[in-house]
Amino acid sequence: SRFKLTLIKNAEAIFAPEVINAKHILVGGTQVVGLLDDQAAAAIEAMSSDISTRIVDATGCIVVPGFVDIHVHITGGGGELGPASRTPEAKVGEMLEGGLTTVVGVLGTDCVSRSLENLLTKCRGLNEDGITAYMWTGAYRIPAPNITGSVRRDICLLEQCIGVGECAISDHRGSQPSSERILDVASDCRVGGLLSGKAGVMYCHMGFGDGLLQPLWKAMKESDIPITTFLPTHMERSEALIEDGARWIRKGGYVDFTCRTVKARLALRKYHQEGLPMDHVMVSSDSYGSLPSFDDDGNLVRYTYGHPKAFLQFIWKMYFQEQWPLDRILPLVTKNPAKFLKLKGKGEISVGSDADVLLLDKNTLKLKSVLAKGEVMMPPKWVHQGMFGTPNPEKVGSKPKRSH
């Protein structure tokens, strides 16, 4: 049977993502229903057998919100070296092992063998599998491919669609769009957001081109489209792009860094030292997307793909190497993207928020357990793998047991 209540007890600390004055969390259904003191938690535990409450012991762990990753190639990506170089599609178990409880699926270079219909269906499957999945319509190409006839209609009519992307800007793999074409997509996206109550964001893949953010600056200068309609990603590409990103933030914009490089960590340090508003900065993983490296002539010299454990590695490096406190690191992968993209109930731990929760070892930050939408998806020694995975041994042939 499914547990209706879960008590997460004895956390060393709870980051919501800011530190809060509570050590116990009560989950009811898919939501957090209480942040408890010791007395209240003890009372719930005393009644646990009578009210079918699962107990998750967080002793030795800190509790943080589930990660919100706005850039995951859930149907696979790549293809820049031909059909054999297409990367594998996402597996729910691998994403859970990386702490990802909310993802936004995206297409990239290949919108021929990879389709938006497949992306939408994969989103629906992941939602059935227990995590939360959204999608960007479109791809690198502008005009943006879509499902229902326009970007605006996709955002309005497809529940999972929150915007358009990743549209390639200043990249030789893009369609070299004019300002007029960028504005066509951006305006359609913005109105779609207004009509649907969604973010309506144009998610822009920034390449290595010398143009930097200039195509977006030019489009805004020629229109009334607000800067917050655009979200440029891969902003760690070069020092010049990082500097252009700082200017972008000072004008009220938001930026997204891919978490995998030293350049990204140095850029975050720079922005913080310069006093930029860090709530305008977020980090994504580009998981399952190709990670190509090009020489000065644009030739591909190295090729791999991203693994969804990148966020855990990023947090470890920011904490242990950069010496950042967790309440400065965690918003980059939780609250900031969730708030900007209007993902209600995501990216925080509060009464009424979705019960997407991670338990991390207090000393090593190793991921110990995952709850997604109130379900324990990764207790010790097992991880939910979806329909074709091994069933949870706690739910097969025995009564539910406590998780330690």
Side-chain angles (χ1 to χ4, degrees):
S1 63
R2 294 170 67 88
F3 290 97
K4 298 191 180 299
L5 289 175
T6 300
L7 176 65
I8 304 171
K9 69 171 189 174
N10 298 334
E12 297 294 326
I14 298 174
F15 291 82
E18 302 81 11
V19 179
I20 61 174
N21 187 26
K23 297 294 178 67
H24 318 275
I25 301 172
L26 183 62
V27 173
T30 62
Q31 294 185 321
V32 174
V33 297
L35 300 172
L36 309 181
D37 59 20
D38 292 345
Q39 184 177 0
I44 294 292
E45 185 172 13
M47 298 186 294
S48 62
S49 60
D50 297 325
I51 58 176
S52 297
T53 302
R54 178 176 188 134
I55 307 297
V56 175
D57 191 349
T59 300
C61 293
I62 60 171
V63 178
V64 307
F67 298 149
V68 178
D69 193 343
I70 66 172
H71 193 140
V72 182
H73 291 270
I74 57 175
T75 56
E80 289 97 335
L81 286 179
S85 67
R86 297 164 78 251
T87 66
E89 72 174 57
K91 296 180 179 179
V92 67
E94 291 178 351
M95 289 189 287
L96 288 168
E97 288 174 328
L100 307 185
T101 56
T102 300
V103 299
V104 185
V106 64
L107 295 186
T109 311
D110 182 5
C111 57
V112 177
S113 70
R114 309 287 191 183
S115 73
L116 289 168
E117 290 81 2
N118 188 24
L119 186 68
L120 175 61
T121 303
K122 180 71 174 183
C123 278
R124 290 172 172 164
L126 291 174
N127 282 306
E128 289 182 6
D129 264 338
I131 68 171
T132 302
Y134 301 93
M135 64 174 280
W136 304 103
T137 193
Y140 272 22
R141 181 168 64 81
I142 297 176
N146 57 80
I147 294 176
T148 64
S150 71
V151 166
R152 182 182 310 193
R153 289 174 60 84
D154 278 10
I155 295 170
C156 288
L157 300 178
L158 303 179
E159 181 181 355
Q160 295 82 4
C161 182
I162 59 172
V164 61
E166 55 177 316
C167 304
I169 306 293
S170 299
D171 192 298
H172 67 92
R173 293 167 293 175
S175 50
Q176 317 309 311
S178 64
S179 295
E180 182 179 359
R181 284 197 165 183
I182 291 172
L183 287 172
D184 282 344
V185 175
S187 61
D188 222 23
C189 187
R190 175 165 172 77
V191 174
L194 294 173
L195 293 174
S196 64
K198 299 177 184 177
V201 167
M202 182 175 178
Y203 191 47
C204 298
H205 161 108
M206 303 309 302
F208 288 97
D210 294 337
L212 307 176
L213 290 170
Q214 186 56 35
L216 302 185
W217 287 118
K218 188 171 184 290
M220 285 193 303
K221 185 177 180 180
E222 296 175 358
S223 73
D224 295 319
I225 299 293
I227 194 170
T228 50
T229 300
F230 303 96
L231 177 61
T233 187
H234 305 311
M235 290 297 291
E236 72 290 340
R237 294 281 197 203
S238 66
E239 291 183 11
L241 187 57
I242 291 167
E243 191 59 49
D244 210 8
R247 180 182 165 217
W248 185 264
I249 291 173
R250 291 188 185 101
K251 291 292 186 180
Y254 290 72
V255 301
D256 179 40
F257 288 102
T258 308
C259 69
R260 300 175 182 277
T261 66
V262 174
K263 285 183 179 179
R265 300 195 295 275
L266 293 177
L268 291 169
R269 183 200 301 171
K270 169 185 169 66
Y271 284 10
H272 176 68
Q273 290 174 344
E274 291 181 358
L276 293 175
M278 295 304 289
D279 58 346
H280 281 232
V281 180
M282 59 203 79
V283 169
S284 60
S285 76
D286 205 2
S287 291
Y288 299 101
S290 63
L291 300 177
S293 298
F294 299 93
D295 63 21
D296 292 339
D297 296 322
N299 298 311
L300 193 64
V301 295
R302 185 173 177 271
Y303 196 84
T304 183
Y305 73 92
H307 194 278
K309 285 188 176 180
F311 271 2
L312 291 171
Q313 296 163 354
F314 166 77
I315 290 171
W316 190 93
K317 290 175 181 177
M318 292 300 295
Y319 184 74
F320 288 107
Q321 295 180 0
E322 299 294 332
Q323 301 289 298
W324 274 28
L326 285 172
D327 56 4
R328 189 188 304 161
I329 304 168
L330 289 169
L332 300 170
V333 296
T334 58
K335 185 177 182 177
N336 292 1
K339 185 176 180 180
F340 181 67
L341 294 181
K342 297 184 179 181
L343 307 182
K344 185 179 179 181
K346 302 300 183 182
E348 61 181 2
I349 297 174
S350 62
V351 174
S353 68
D354 287 354
D356 298 338
V357 176
L358 311 180
L359 276 62
L360 306 178
D361 184 276
K362 68 173 184 177
N363 296 316
T364 65
L365 300 185
K366 181 180 179 181
L367 182 63
K368 307 295 287 186
S369 189
V370 178
L371 277 77
K373 292 189 284 193
E375 287 292 317
V376 180
M377 307 292 278
M378 183 182 147
K381 300 182 181 179
W382 178 82
V383 62
H384 175 68
Q385 300 284 354
M387 183 172 289
F388 302 104
T390 303
N392 185 348
E394 293 190 359
K395 296 186 178 182
V396 177
S398 64
K399 294 181 179 180
K401 300 177 183 179
R402 293 190 177 194
S403 188
H404 298 285

